[in-house]
Amino acid sequence: MLNINKVVIAGHVGSVEIRYTGDDSVVLNLSVATNRRWTDKDGNKNEAVEWHRVIVFGKLAELVKEWVKKGTQVYAEGVLRTRKWQDKDGNDRWTTEIVLSGYNAILQVVDKKEQEVKEPPKVEEADTNGAAEQTPDDMS
């Protein structure tokens, strides 16, 4: 049976939050907006914005925090993960995230003005899953 979990998005960063775990590993939380535009049957132009939560772990997160800020256009490939948590009232909640970790993760910063792709330096460190993290150059 074939199982594939891969998500690809390209959009603009809305917010950047940097956290550190108990062992001082970096976790970068990004909100990324993607836009969908269409014209309805009456000729009216419409637009809908979808916000995505993107989580970047480890050394890749440490490097990416130097490259992204609000408004930065990014291209990301990762895996979809839904996790359960409890709010302050004890109610169960679920959050769906795009996780960038390990050698299958890709994050490219796209400079729209110059139409070029900027990539962070190569990462040689192993991530928490034991897989080596790589930059997009290593993915080709």
Side-chain angles (χ1 to χ4, degrees), residues 53-78:
R53 183 175 168 94
V54 178
I55 312 299
V56 187
F57 289 100
K59 187 67 174 174
L60 181 58
E62 185 71 39
L63 293 171
V64 169
K65 76 177 186 178
E66 303 298 327
W67 290 75
V68 294
K69 61 183 190 247
K70 183 176 181 176
T72 301
Q73 187 175 13
V74 295
Y75 170 88
E77 290 186 24

